[in-house]
């Protein structure tokens, strides 16, 4: 609270306006963890970051060091949530904060690095829940730090997590440790291959992503990414804490295009993911229009109706209306037998007139 008292919170804003209530919520967290949930809601509301957010987060991290702080676990989860939003460039692109842009992004990343180094000692805390949550929070650091990396390695060496709270699993911890080492550039091939043998498919995906991140992109790595894509997407959508978005993960690779084209030959979910990654890279100006269109046509000739529909959307966005309509028409044709002739004709007329079939 000493650091907090030096901040003029009335001059900062969060999701609901003035941040003058932030110190009170931090203090209330000493006895009531709901206050820290409320703090998370105003500082990282629906994933958006605000001027008060990077100022408050290192203070939240210091509270997390206090074993008597009632909202301790929530505070660590809050850091993990914050790290995930910084990782997907929320501070760079999200306009809800009103100040999104490169400078705000740098400020948020600096605050994240400070938070991570503050809570690094919790990677060896006596409380297993605290250790596990700390691993998930420390995974977002993208510069080498021996205290953090050694803690992540130790987390991977734990054979069995005996007891974890309802919102964390052993898989969450192992995936976070693998991803954290990969982001710091300290993941070894042996460690990644150990993860690649894990019984959990999403963990195998992260291990393969880690191998790709450190430059190992052989056929077995690409196959593991493709084969385990669906499990990762499902985990991202349906669980808390959520798995990182696999589209974002792949888009962050150095030279991701060979990986994207490899996914296009994989299972249906992987091929659809390849289209999503291609669109992200195109929006970032990292891949040209012709390459994305070529990929969309490659995916669009596959037999799955969902892939034809997804490829059609990409082609339409890139201005290839005729090619998009052709794919959508073929996608609708795949439903013959499930729809009446009248309904089928209506859908075909819709897409030829410029509409778009709905799944």
């Amino acid at each position: 609270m000493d650091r907090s008292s030096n901040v003029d919170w009335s001059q900062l804003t969060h999701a609901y306006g003035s941040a003058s209530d932030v110190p009170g919520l931090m203090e209330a967290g000493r006895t009531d963890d709901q206050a820290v949930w409320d703090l998370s809601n105003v500082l990282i509301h629906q994933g958006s970051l605000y001027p008060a957010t990077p100022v408050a987060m290192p203070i939240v991290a210091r509270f997390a060091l206090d074993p008597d702080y009632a909202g301790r676990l929530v505070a660590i989860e809050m850091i993990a949530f914050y790290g995930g939003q910084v990782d997907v460039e929320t501070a760079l692109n999200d306009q809800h904060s009103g100040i999104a842009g490169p400078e705000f992004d740098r400020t948020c990343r600096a605050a994240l690095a400070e938070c991570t180094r503050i809570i690094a000692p919790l990677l060896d805390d006596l409380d297993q829940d605290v250790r596990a949550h700390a691993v998930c929070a420390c995974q977002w650091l993208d510069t080498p730090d021996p205290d953090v990396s050694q803690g992540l390695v130790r987390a991977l060496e734990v054979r069995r997590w005996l007891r974890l709270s309802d919102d964390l699993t052993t898989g969450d911890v192992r995936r976070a440790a693998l991803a954290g080492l990969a982001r710091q550039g300290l993941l070894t091939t042996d460690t990644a291959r150990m993860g690649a043998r894990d019984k959990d498919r999403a963990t195998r995906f992260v291990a393969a992503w880690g191998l790709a991140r450190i430059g190992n992109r052989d056929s077995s790595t690409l196959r593991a990414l493709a084969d385990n894509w669906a499990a990762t997407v499902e985990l991202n959508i349906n669980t808390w804490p959520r798995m990182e978005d696999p589209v974002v993960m792949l888009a962050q690779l150095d030279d991701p295009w060979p990986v994207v084209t490899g996914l296009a030959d994989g299972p249906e979910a992987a091929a659809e993911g390849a289209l999503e990654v291609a669109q992200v890279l195109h929006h970032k100006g990292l891949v040209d229009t012709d390459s994305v269109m070529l990929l969309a046509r490659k995916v669009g000739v596959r037999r799955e109706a969902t892939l034809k529909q997804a490829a059609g959307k990409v082609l339409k966005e890139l201005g290839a209306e005729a090619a998009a309509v052709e794919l959508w028409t073929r996608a609708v044709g795949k439903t013959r037998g499930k729809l009446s002739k009248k309904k089928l004709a209506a859908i075909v007329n819709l897409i030829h007139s410029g509409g778009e079939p709905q799944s």
Side-chain angles (χ1 to χ4, degrees):
M1 292 305 293
D2 289 341
R3 178 163 174 171
S4 176
S5 64
N6 293 324
V7 177
D8 186 353
W9 295 100
S10 65
Q11 297 301 306
L12 297 172
T13 57
H14 54 46
Y16 296 98
S18 172
S20 55
D21 59 343
V22 166
L25 290 171
M26 289 178 178
E27 185 62 30
R30 292 186 186 278
T31 56
D32 181 10
D33 64 357
Q34 182 58 48
V36 187
W37 284 117
D38 293 341
L39 184 65
S40 179
N41 181 55
V42 300
L43 292 177
I44 319 175
H45 183 68
Q46 296 182 351
S48 293
L49 306 179
Y50 302 87
T53 310
V55 179
M57 291 309 301
I59 303 173
V60 171
R62 287 180 171 82
F63 274 113
L65 296 177
D66 183 358
D68 296 322
Y69 191 69
R72 189 185 199 191
L73 279 182
V74 182
I76 304 172
E77 283 191 37
M78 185 176 168
I79 296 167
F81 187 32
Y82 172 68
Q85 299 314 118
V86 172
D87 189 64
V88 299
E89 300 180 345
T90 296
L92 193 62
N93 301 309
D94 188 348
Q95 297 305 312
H96 290 292
S97 69
I99 59 170
E103 184 176 351
F104 186 49
D105 183 67
R106 285 191 292 272
T107 299
C108 289
R109 291 181 185 279
L112 174 61
E114 184 179 358
C115 288
T116 306
R117 293 186 170 103
I118 289 170
I119 68 168
L122 299 182
L123 293 167
D124 293 308
D125 196 88
L126 295 177
D127 186 309
Q128 185 169 241
D129 266 344
V130 171
R131 291 202 312 274
H133 280 78
V135 171
C136 292
C138 286
Q139 67 174 300
W140 305 107
L141 186 67
D142 58 6
T143 54
D145 183 279
D147 292 334
V148 175
S149 61
Q150 289 167 17
L152 297 179
V153 169
R154 287 192 292 273
L156 286 170
E157 292 172 347
V158 174
R159 296 285 182 178
R160 182 183 175 204
W161 292 81
L162 299 177
R163 182 189 63 81
L164 291 174
S165 59
D166 291 340
D167 60 352
L168 273 186
T169 69
T170 296
D172 293 320
V173 178
R174 293 178 65 79
R175 287 190 295 272
L178 287 167
L181 290 169
R183 284 194 182 88
Q184 292 187 55
L186 299 175
L187 181 68
T188 65
T189 301
D190 287 344
T191 300
R193 286 177 175 161
M194 177 185 68
R197 296 190 295 271
D198 197 281
K199 64 180 180 180
D200 176 67
R201 290 182 62 195
T203 302
R204 297 202 296 270
F205 176 91
V206 176
W209 172 77
L211 283 170
R213 181 145 179 153
I214 62 176
N216 186 335
R217 301 181 181 186
D218 57 22
S219 59
S220 63
T221 299
L222 294 178
R223 186 167 59 251
L225 286 169
D227 290 346
N228 297 301
W229 178 277
T232 308
V233 172
E234 182 179 349
L235 196 60
N236 179 307
I237 296 172
N238 296 328
T239 65
W240 178 259
R242 290 178 176 83
M243 175 64 196
E244 308 144 68
D245 187 334
V247 172
V248 174
M249 292 175 71
L250 262 65
Q252 292 175 337
L253 292 176
D254 176 38
D255 187 21
W257 195 245
V259 177
V260 175
T261 55
L263 283 178
D265 295 321
E268 182 177 348
E272 192 166 359
L275 292 174
E276 292 184 62
V277 182
Q279 287 179 288
V280 171
L281 296 175
H282 185 258
H283 292 158
K284 288 174 171 287
L286 299 177
V287 64
D288 61 81
T289 300
D290 288 344
S291 296
V292 179
M293 291 180 69
L294 187 63
L295 180 75
R297 288 191 170 97
K298 176 182 179 181
V299 172
V301 299
R302 291 181 47 160
R303 63 180 179 81
E304 298 95 332
T306 55
L307 293 183
K308 294 182 185 302
Q309 187 172 343
K313 289 181 179 180
V314 174
L315 290 170
K316 182 180 180 183
E317 181 181 303
L318 298 178
E321 295 276 350
V325 168
E326 180 183 353
L327 284 179
W328 288 338
T329 303
R330 291 180 182 178
V332 171
K334 290 290 183 180
T335 66
R336 194 182 304 275
K338 299 179 181 179
L339 298 173
S340 67
K341 291 183 178 180
K342 183 177 179 181
K343 183 68 173 178
L344 184 61
I347 295 175
V348 172
N349 289 335
L350 170 68
I351 60 179
H352 277 286
S353 64
E356 182 175 317
Q358 301 299 313
S359 57

Short mmCIF file of all heavy atoms in Angstrom, two decimals, residues 1-5 9 21-32 35-36 39 43 55-79 114-115 118-119 122 125 130:
data_model
loop_
_atom_site.label_atom_id
_atom_site.label_comp_id
_atom_site.label_asym_id
_atom_site.label_seq_id
_atom_site.Cartn_x
_atom_site.Cartn_y
_atom_site.Cartn_z
N MET A 1 0.82 -1.21 0.00
CA MET A 1 0.00 0.00 0.00
C MET A 1 0.86 1.26 0.00
O MET A 1 0.39 2.33 -0.38
CB MET A 1 -0.94 0.00 1.21
CG MET A 1 -2.02 -1.07 1.13
SD MET A 1 -3.03 -0.99 -0.37
CE MET A 1 -3.90 0.57 -0.15
N ASP A 2 2.12 1.13 0.42
CA ASP A 2 3.01 2.30 0.36
C ASP A 2 3.16 2.78 -1.07
O ASP A 2 3.14 3.98 -1.34
CB ASP A 2 4.38 1.94 0.95
CG ASP A 2 4.32 1.75 2.45
OD1 ASP A 2 3.35 2.24 3.05
OD2 ASP A 2 5.23 1.11 3.00
N ARG A 3 3.36 1.84 -1.99
CA ARG A 3 3.51 2.21 -3.40
C ARG A 3 2.19 2.79 -3.93
O ARG A 3 2.18 3.75 -4.69
CB ARG A 3 3.92 0.99 -4.23
CG ARG A 3 4.05 1.27 -5.70
CD ARG A 3 4.85 0.20 -6.39
NE ARG A 3 4.86 0.39 -7.85
CZ ARG A 3 5.61 -0.30 -8.68
NH1 ARG A 3 6.44 -1.21 -8.22
NH2 ARG A 3 5.56 -0.08 -9.98
N SER A 4 1.08 2.20 -3.50
CA SER A 4 -0.22 2.68 -3.95
C SER A 4 -0.49 4.11 -3.51
O SER A 4 -1.10 4.89 -4.24
CB SER A 4 -1.33 1.75 -3.43
OG SER A 4 -2.59 2.23 -3.79
N SER A 5 -0.02 4.45 -2.32
CA SER A 5 -0.29 5.79 -1.79
C SER A 5 0.42 6.87 -2.58
O SER A 5 0.07 8.05 -2.48
CB SER A 5 0.11 5.86 -0.31
OG SER A 5 1.52 5.67 -0.18
N TRP A 9 -4.67 8.03 -8.02
CA TRP A 9 -5.60 7.15 -8.71
C TRP A 9 -6.75 7.92 -9.36
O TRP A 9 -7.35 7.45 -10.33
CB TRP A 9 -6.15 6.10 -7.74
CG TRP A 9 -5.10 5.17 -7.25
CD1 TRP A 9 -4.45 5.21 -6.05
CD2 TRP A 9 -4.54 4.06 -7.96
NE1 TRP A 9 -3.52 4.20 -5.96
CE2 TRP A 9 -3.56 3.47 -7.12
CE3 TRP A 9 -4.76 3.50 -9.23
CZ2 TRP A 9 -2.81 2.36 -7.50
CZ3 TRP A 9 -4.02 2.40 -9.61
CH2 TRP A 9 -3.06 1.83 -8.76
N ASP A 21 -11.22 4.01 -6.67
CA ASP A 21 -11.65 2.92 -5.78
C ASP A 21 -10.65 1.76 -5.75
O ASP A 21 -10.81 0.82 -4.96
CB ASP A 21 -13.02 2.40 -6.21
CG ASP A 21 -13.04 1.89 -7.66
OD1 ASP A 21 -12.11 2.24 -8.41
OD2 ASP A 21 -13.99 1.18 -8.03
N VAL A 22 -9.60 1.82 -6.57
CA VAL A 22 -8.64 0.71 -6.64
C VAL A 22 -7.94 0.45 -5.32
O VAL A 22 -7.86 -0.71 -4.87
CB VAL A 22 -7.64 0.95 -7.79
CG1 VAL A 22 -6.44 0.00 -7.68
CG2 VAL A 22 -8.32 0.76 -9.14
N PRO A 23 -7.38 1.46 -4.62
CA PRO A 23 -6.71 1.17 -3.34
C PRO A 23 -7.63 0.51 -2.33
O PRO A 23 -7.21 -0.40 -1.60
CB PRO A 23 -6.26 2.55 -2.86
CG PRO A 23 -6.19 3.39 -4.09
CD PRO A 23 -7.28 2.89 -4.97
N GLY A 24 -8.90 0.93 -2.29
CA GLY A 24 -9.83 0.33 -1.35
C GLY A 24 -10.09 -1.13 -1.64
O GLY A 24 -10.18 -1.96 -0.73
N LEU A 25 -10.19 -1.48 -2.93
CA LEU A 25 -10.40 -2.88 -3.30
C LEU A 25 -9.17 -3.72 -2.96
O LEU A 25 -9.30 -4.86 -2.50
CB LEU A 25 -10.71 -2.98 -4.79
CG LEU A 25 -12.07 -2.43 -5.24
CD1 LEU A 25 -12.17 -2.40 -6.76
CD2 LEU A 25 -13.20 -3.29 -4.65
N MET A 26 -7.98 -3.16 -3.18
CA MET A 26 -6.76 -3.88 -2.82
C MET A 26 -6.72 -4.15 -1.32
O MET A 26 -6.41 -5.27 -0.88
CB MET A 26 -5.53 -3.06 -3.22
CG MET A 26 -5.28 -2.96 -4.70
SD MET A 26 -3.83 -1.92 -5.01
CE MET A 26 -3.71 -2.00 -6.78
N GLU A 27 -7.03 -3.15 -0.52
CA GLU A 27 -7.00 -3.30 0.93
C GLU A 27 -8.07 -4.28 1.40
O GLU A 27 -7.82 -5.11 2.28
CB GLU A 27 -7.22 -1.93 1.59
CG GLU A 27 -7.09 -1.93 3.10
CD GLU A 27 -5.72 -2.32 3.60
OE1 GLU A 27 -4.72 -2.05 2.88
OE2 GLU A 27 -5.63 -2.92 4.70
N ALA A 28 -9.26 -4.21 0.80
CA ALA A 28 -10.34 -5.12 1.20
C ALA A 28 -9.99 -6.57 0.91
O ALA A 28 -10.50 -7.49 1.56
CB ALA A 28 -11.63 -4.73 0.47
N GLY A 29 -9.11 -6.79 -0.07
CA GLY A 29 -8.68 -8.14 -0.41
C GLY A 29 -7.93 -8.84 0.70
O GLY A 29 -7.73 -10.06 0.65
N ARG A 30 -7.52 -8.10 1.72
CA ARG A 30 -6.83 -8.72 2.86
C ARG A 30 -7.74 -9.71 3.58
O ARG A 30 -7.29 -10.72 4.13
CB ARG A 30 -6.36 -7.66 3.86
CG ARG A 30 -5.25 -6.76 3.35
CD ARG A 30 -4.77 -5.84 4.46
NE ARG A 30 -3.81 -4.86 3.97
CZ ARG A 30 -2.50 -5.10 3.80
NH1 ARG A 30 -2.03 -6.31 4.05
NH2 ARG A 30 -1.70 -4.14 3.36
N THR A 31 -9.04 -9.41 3.58
CA THR A 31 -9.98 -10.25 4.32
C THR A 31 -11.08 -10.85 3.45
O THR A 31 -11.83 -11.70 3.90
CB THR A 31 -10.65 -9.43 5.44
OG1 THR A 31 -11.28 -8.27 4.87
CG2 THR A 31 -9.62 -8.97 6.46
N ASP A 32 -11.17 -10.40 2.20
CA ASP A 32 -12.28 -10.85 1.34
C ASP A 32 -11.78 -11.02 -0.09
O ASP A 32 -11.46 -10.04 -0.77
CB ASP A 32 -13.41 -9.82 1.38
CG ASP A 32 -14.61 -10.22 0.54
OD1 ASP A 32 -14.65 -11.38 0.08
OD2 ASP A 32 -15.50 -9.38 0.34
N ALA A 35 -13.26 -9.04 -3.16
CA ALA A 35 -12.77 -7.69 -3.49
C ALA A 35 -11.74 -7.75 -4.60
O ALA A 35 -11.68 -6.85 -5.46
CB ALA A 35 -12.18 -7.02 -2.25
N VAL A 36 -10.93 -8.81 -4.63
CA VAL A 36 -9.92 -8.94 -5.69
C VAL A 36 -10.59 -9.33 -7.00
O VAL A 36 -10.17 -8.91 -8.07
CB VAL A 36 -8.83 -9.95 -5.29
CG1 VAL A 36 -7.69 -9.94 -6.31
CG2 VAL A 36 -8.27 -9.60 -3.91
N LEU A 39 -11.78 -6.20 -8.27
CA LEU A 39 -10.64 -5.44 -8.79
C LEU A 39 -10.29 -5.91 -10.20
O LEU A 39 -10.05 -5.10 -11.11
CB LEU A 39 -9.44 -5.61 -7.86
CG LEU A 39 -8.17 -4.82 -8.19
CD1 LEU A 39 -8.43 -3.32 -8.06
CD2 LEU A 39 -7.02 -5.24 -7.28
N LEU A 43 -10.27 -3.63 -13.73
CA LEU A 43 -8.97 -3.39 -14.36
C LEU A 43 -8.78 -4.17 -15.66
O LEU A 43 -8.03 -3.74 -16.55
CB LEU A 43 -7.83 -3.74 -13.40
CG LEU A 43 -7.68 -2.84 -12.18
CD1 LEU A 43 -6.56 -3.36 -11.27
CD2 LEU A 43 -7.39 -1.40 -12.58
N VAL A 55 -0.46 0.17 -13.91
CA VAL A 55 0.00 0.81 -12.67
C VAL A 55 -0.34 -0.09 -11.48
O VAL A 55 0.45 -0.25 -10.55
CB VAL A 55 -0.66 2.20 -12.50
CG1 VAL A 55 -0.20 2.83 -11.19
CG2 VAL A 55 -0.31 3.09 -13.68
N ALA A 56 -1.52 -0.68 -11.52
CA ALA A 56 -1.99 -1.47 -10.38
C ALA A 56 -1.38 -2.86 -10.32
O ALA A 56 -1.18 -3.40 -9.21
CB ALA A 56 -3.51 -1.59 -10.46
N MET A 57 -1.07 -3.47 -11.46
CA MET A 57 -0.70 -4.88 -11.45
C MET A 57 0.54 -5.22 -10.61
O MET A 57 0.53 -6.20 -9.88
CB MET A 57 -0.54 -5.38 -12.89
CG MET A 57 -1.85 -5.46 -13.69
SD MET A 57 -3.17 -6.34 -12.84
CE MET A 57 -2.42 -7.94 -12.61
N PRO A 58 1.64 -4.44 -10.67
CA PRO A 58 2.77 -4.77 -9.81
C PRO A 58 2.43 -4.67 -8.32
O PRO A 58 3.01 -5.40 -7.50
CB PRO A 58 3.83 -3.74 -10.21
CG PRO A 58 3.47 -3.36 -11.61
CD PRO A 58 1.98 -3.36 -11.63
N ILE A 59 1.49 -3.81 -7.96
CA ILE A 59 1.07 -3.70 -6.56
C ILE A 59 0.27 -4.95 -6.18
O ILE A 59 0.43 -5.51 -5.09
CB ILE A 59 0.24 -2.43 -6.34
CG1 ILE A 59 1.05 -1.20 -6.77
CG2 ILE A 59 -0.18 -2.29 -4.88
CD1 ILE A 59 0.27 0.10 -6.76
N VAL A 60 -0.59 -5.39 -7.10
CA VAL A 60 -1.34 -6.63 -6.89
C VAL A 60 -0.37 -7.80 -6.69
O VAL A 60 -0.57 -8.66 -5.82
CB VAL A 60 -2.27 -6.90 -8.09
CG1 VAL A 60 -2.89 -8.30 -7.99
CG2 VAL A 60 -3.37 -5.84 -8.18
N ALA A 61 0.72 -7.82 -7.47
CA ALA A 61 1.71 -8.89 -7.36
C ALA A 61 2.35 -8.90 -5.98
O ALA A 61 2.59 -9.97 -5.41
CB ALA A 61 2.77 -8.73 -8.44
N ARG A 62 2.60 -7.73 -5.43
CA ARG A 62 3.21 -7.67 -4.09
C ARG A 62 2.24 -8.17 -3.01
O ARG A 62 2.65 -8.81 -2.04
CB ARG A 62 3.67 -6.24 -3.79
CG ARG A 62 4.92 -5.86 -4.57
CD ARG A 62 5.39 -4.44 -4.28
NE ARG A 62 6.70 -4.20 -4.89
CZ ARG A 62 6.89 -3.86 -6.14
NH1 ARG A 62 5.84 -3.70 -6.94
NH2 ARG A 62 8.10 -3.67 -6.62
N PHE A 63 0.95 -7.89 -3.19
CA PHE A 63 -0.03 -8.43 -2.26
C PHE A 63 -0.03 -9.96 -2.33
O PHE A 63 -0.24 -10.64 -1.31
CB PHE A 63 -1.43 -7.90 -2.59
CG PHE A 63 -1.74 -6.57 -1.96
CD1 PHE A 63 -1.90 -5.43 -2.73
CD2 PHE A 63 -1.88 -6.46 -0.58
CE1 PHE A 63 -2.19 -4.21 -2.16
CE2 PHE A 63 -2.17 -5.24 0.01
CZ PHE A 63 -2.33 -4.11 -0.77
N ALA A 64 0.19 -10.51 -3.52
CA ALA A 64 0.17 -11.96 -3.69
C ALA A 64 1.28 -12.65 -2.90
O ALA A 64 1.20 -13.86 -2.63
CB ALA A 64 0.27 -12.32 -5.17
N LEU A 65 2.32 -11.91 -2.53
CA LEU A 65 3.42 -12.49 -1.75
C LEU A 65 3.03 -12.73 -0.30
O LEU A 65 3.71 -13.47 0.41
CB LEU A 65 4.64 -11.57 -1.80
CG LEU A 65 5.29 -11.35 -3.17
CD1 LEU A 65 6.44 -10.37 -3.05
CD2 LEU A 65 5.78 -12.66 -3.78
N ASP A 66 1.95 -12.11 0.15
CA ASP A 66 1.53 -12.17 1.55
C ASP A 66 0.67 -13.41 1.80
O ASP A 66 -0.44 -13.49 1.29
CB ASP A 66 0.74 -10.91 1.90
CG ASP A 66 0.33 -10.86 3.37
OD1 ASP A 66 0.62 -11.82 4.11
OD2 ASP A 66 -0.28 -9.86 3.78
N PRO A 67 1.16 -14.38 2.57
CA PRO A 67 0.38 -15.60 2.80
C PRO A 67 -0.92 -15.36 3.56
O PRO A 67 -1.81 -16.22 3.56
CB PRO A 67 1.34 -16.50 3.59
CG PRO A 67 2.33 -15.56 4.19
CD PRO A 67 2.48 -14.42 3.24
N ASP A 68 -1.03 -14.21 4.22
CA ASP A 68 -2.25 -13.90 4.98
C ASP A 68 -3.25 -13.09 4.17
O ASP A 68 -4.32 -12.73 4.69
CB ASP A 68 -1.88 -13.14 6.27
CG ASP A 68 -1.03 -13.98 7.21
OD1 ASP A 68 -1.30 -15.20 7.30
OD2 ASP A 68 -0.11 -13.43 7.83
N TYR A 69 -2.92 -12.77 2.93
CA TYR A 69 -3.82 -11.99 2.09
C TYR A 69 -4.93 -12.91 1.57
O TYR A 69 -4.67 -13.86 0.83
CB TYR A 69 -3.03 -11.39 0.93
CG TYR A 69 -3.76 -10.34 0.12
CD1 TYR A 69 -4.04 -9.09 0.68
CD2 TYR A 69 -4.15 -10.59 -1.19
CE1 TYR A 69 -4.69 -8.11 -0.08
CE2 TYR A 69 -4.80 -9.63 -1.94
CZ TYR A 69 -5.07 -8.38 -1.38
OH TYR A 69 -5.73 -7.42 -2.12
N ALA A 70 -6.17 -12.63 1.95
CA ALA A 70 -7.28 -13.54 1.63
C ALA A 70 -7.44 -13.74 0.14
O ALA A 70 -7.78 -14.84 -0.32
CB ALA A 70 -8.58 -13.01 2.24
N GLY A 71 -7.21 -12.69 -0.64
CA GLY A 71 -7.37 -12.77 -2.09
C GLY A 71 -6.12 -13.18 -2.82
O GLY A 71 -5.96 -12.86 -4.01
N ARG A 72 -5.24 -13.90 -2.15
CA ARG A 72 -3.94 -14.23 -2.73
C ARG A 72 -4.05 -15.02 -4.03
O ARG A 72 -3.47 -14.65 -5.06
CB ARG A 72 -3.13 -15.03 -1.71
CG ARG A 72 -1.68 -15.25 -2.11
CD ARG A 72 -0.98 -16.14 -1.12
NE ARG A 72 0.47 -16.00 -1.22
CZ ARG A 72 1.33 -16.83 -0.61
NH1 ARG A 72 0.88 -17.83 0.13
NH2 ARG A 72 2.63 -16.64 -0.75
N LEU A 73 -4.77 -16.12 -4.02
CA LEU A 73 -4.89 -16.93 -5.22
C LEU A 73 -5.56 -16.16 -6.35
O LEU A 73 -5.17 -16.27 -7.52
CB LEU A 73 -5.68 -18.21 -4.94
CG LEU A 73 -4.92 -19.38 -4.30
CD1 LEU A 73 -5.85 -20.57 -4.14
CD2 LEU A 73 -3.70 -19.76 -5.12
N VAL A 74 -6.57 -15.38 -6.00
CA VAL A 74 -7.26 -14.58 -7.02
C VAL A 74 -6.30 -13.56 -7.62
O VAL A 74 -6.32 -13.30 -8.83
CB VAL A 74 -8.50 -13.87 -6.43
CG1 VAL A 74 -9.23 -13.09 -7.51
CG2 VAL A 74 -9.43 -14.88 -5.78
N ALA A 75 -5.45 -12.98 -6.78
CA ALA A 75 -4.47 -12.01 -7.27
C ALA A 75 -3.51 -12.65 -8.27
O ALA A 75 -3.17 -12.05 -9.30
CB ALA A 75 -3.69 -11.41 -6.09
N ILE A 76 -3.07 -13.89 -7.97
CA ILE A 76 -2.16 -14.57 -8.90
C ILE A 76 -2.89 -14.91 -10.20
O ILE A 76 -2.33 -14.77 -11.30
CB ILE A 76 -1.58 -15.85 -8.26
CG1 ILE A 76 -0.89 -15.51 -6.94
CG2 ILE A 76 -0.57 -16.50 -9.20
CD1 ILE A 76 -0.46 -16.73 -6.14
N GLU A 77 -4.14 -15.36 -10.08
CA GLU A 77 -4.93 -15.63 -11.29
C GLU A 77 -5.10 -14.35 -12.12
O GLU A 77 -5.10 -14.38 -13.35
CB GLU A 77 -6.31 -16.17 -10.91
CG GLU A 77 -6.31 -17.62 -10.49
CD GLU A 77 -7.72 -18.17 -10.37
OE1 GLU A 77 -8.57 -17.79 -11.19
OE2 GLU A 77 -7.95 -18.98 -9.46
N MET A 78 -5.25 -13.24 -11.42
CA MET A 78 -5.42 -11.95 -12.10
C MET A 78 -4.17 -11.62 -12.92
O MET A 78 -4.25 -11.13 -14.05
CB MET A 78 -5.69 -10.87 -11.06
CG MET A 78 -6.00 -9.50 -11.61
SD MET A 78 -6.41 -8.40 -10.23
CE MET A 78 -6.37 -6.81 -11.09
N ILE A 79 -3.00 -11.91 -12.37
CA ILE A 79 -1.75 -11.68 -13.10
C ILE A 79 -1.69 -12.58 -14.33
O ILE A 79 -1.28 -12.16 -15.42
CB ILE A 79 -0.54 -11.93 -12.18
CG1 ILE A 79 -0.52 -10.90 -11.04
CG2 ILE A 79 0.78 -11.85 -12.97
CD1 ILE A 79 0.44 -11.23 -9.93
N GLU A 114 7.59 -6.96 -14.62
CA GLU A 114 7.80 -6.66 -13.20
C GLU A 114 6.96 -7.59 -12.32
O GLU A 114 7.45 -8.12 -11.32
CB GLU A 114 7.42 -5.20 -12.92
CG GLU A 114 7.71 -4.78 -11.49
CD GLU A 114 7.36 -3.32 -11.21
OE1 GLU A 114 6.92 -2.62 -12.13
OE2 GLU A 114 7.52 -2.90 -10.04
N CYS A 115 5.70 -7.81 -12.70
CA CYS A 115 4.83 -8.72 -11.95
C CYS A 115 5.43 -10.11 -11.87
O CYS A 115 5.45 -10.76 -10.81
CB CYS A 115 3.46 -8.80 -12.61
SG CYS A 115 2.43 -7.35 -12.44
N ILE A 118 8.33 -10.33 -9.55
CA ILE A 118 7.91 -10.18 -8.15
C ILE A 118 7.41 -11.51 -7.61
O ILE A 118 7.75 -11.91 -6.49
CB ILE A 118 6.81 -9.10 -8.03
CG1 ILE A 118 7.41 -7.71 -8.26
CG2 ILE A 118 6.15 -9.15 -6.65
CD1 ILE A 118 6.37 -6.62 -8.38
N ILE A 119 6.59 -12.21 -8.40
CA ILE A 119 5.97 -13.44 -7.87
C ILE A 119 6.80 -14.68 -8.14
O ILE A 119 6.40 -15.78 -7.74
CB ILE A 119 4.55 -13.64 -8.45
CG1 ILE A 119 4.60 -13.94 -9.95
CG2 ILE A 119 3.66 -12.45 -8.15
CD1 ILE A 119 3.26 -14.43 -10.48
N LEU A 122 7.14 -17.42 -5.59
CA LEU A 122 5.97 -18.26 -5.31
C LEU A 122 6.03 -19.58 -6.09
O LEU A 122 5.26 -20.49 -5.80
CB LEU A 122 4.68 -17.51 -5.66
CG LEU A 122 4.43 -16.22 -4.88
CD1 LEU A 122 3.10 -15.60 -5.29
CD2 LEU A 122 4.45 -16.49 -3.38
N ASP A 125 6.62 -21.92 -3.42
CA ASP A 125 5.83 -21.76 -2.21
C ASP A 125 5.44 -23.12 -1.63
O ASP A 125 5.30 -24.11 -2.36
CB ASP A 125 4.56 -20.96 -2.53
CG ASP A 125 3.89 -20.42 -1.29
OD1 ASP A 125 4.25 -19.32 -0.86
OD2 ASP A 125 3.00 -21.12 -0.75
N VAL A 130 -0.73 -22.39 -4.59
CA VAL A 130 -0.01 -21.16 -4.90
C VAL A 130 1.05 -21.42 -5.95
O VAL A 130 1.19 -20.67 -6.92
CB VAL A 130 0.62 -20.56 -3.62
CG1 VAL A 130 1.55 -19.40 -3.96
CG2 VAL A 130 -0.47 -20.09 -2.66
#
